[in-house]
Amino acid sequence: LRTAILSEHPNTPPTTIQWEFSDYEPWHVTIANGSSHAAKGRSKSADVTIRCKYEDWVDVFANRVDARRLMATGRLRPSGSPRKLLQTARLLA
């Protein structure tokens, strides 16, 4: 994930995306000025938090399922700054 984001969006404003999985430990990625850092655990200052099952996120990332469908059914729940949510959607597309 970290590598995919960097290759597509090298000049992204600082953003921290956190994943809170119901069936796996949390992770976060911080992207800033063409570099990024991924780490296990929760971030102290996440801009966007995505709550879902780990398996569901893998399916979204592998393009096996549409994230909008999971959001409509409540299986994927993003939260955070509306501007950062839109920015994150572009980063992860």
Side-chain angles (χ1 to χ4, degrees), residues 1-8 19 28-31 34-39 61 92:
L1 178 59
R2 181 182 71 84
T3 305
I5 291 170
L6 277 179
S7 66
E8 296 288 326
W19 286 265
H28 65 278
V29 173
T30 301
I31 307 143
S35 66
S36 69
H37 173 74
F61 195 70
L92 302 174

